[in-house]
Amino acid sequence: MTDEPARQFFFDVNQLPGHTNAELFGDTEEAQEYLDLFGRDLVTRTILQSPELSVFHETAAPGEKVKPHRHGTHQLNYVLRGELIFGRRRIGAGMGFFTPDLLYAWRAGDEGAEWIEIHSGQPGIFTDQRKS
């Protein structure tokens, strides 16, 4: 992060570098906790990351899942393609999910999923209900 003021920009998500969790967290013993939580293959593309707002493009393979976690931010997910399953609730293209920093888990549907993930600030990773 720099102290430079925010600037307008355009982007093409297909031209942003995508990184799997295995690439982001590495293959160390310390990283194994995160890989157990999020899996290895979720692909993240960072669109914007600032102290006030973070926006990511996410892609999950069919059946991919994450265990209960929260990020310490208000979070909104908007599904572009496929389906995310939160317990018995399914959200598909054009649908979304909001959480005010509470634990959640999901599984991708049979066709996988692609979505935009928006956070009010910079997300962390937490596995309990306590506020950060």
Side-chain angles (χ1 to χ4, degrees), residues 51-72:
E52 297 83 19
L53 181 68
S54 294
V55 183
F56 306 96
H57 176 274
E58 305 284 355
T59 307
E64 193 167 346
K65 59 186 170 183
V66 299
K67 295 178 181 176
H69 68 285
R70 64 185 182 81
H71 293 290

Side-chain angles (χ1 to χ4, degrees), residues 96-110:
F97 165 74
F98 170 77
T99 182
D101 191 26
L102 298 175
L103 287 176
Y104 71 96
W106 56 260
R107 175 175 56 88
D110 294 340

Side-chain angles (χ1 to χ4, degrees), residues 1 4-6 48-55 73-74 118-122:
M1 282 288 115
E4 293 181 29
L48 173 70
Q49 195 163 19
S50 76
E52 297 83 19
L53 181 68
S54 294
V55 183
T73 63
H74 285 195
I118 304 166
H119 294 269
S120 61
Q122 294 185 16

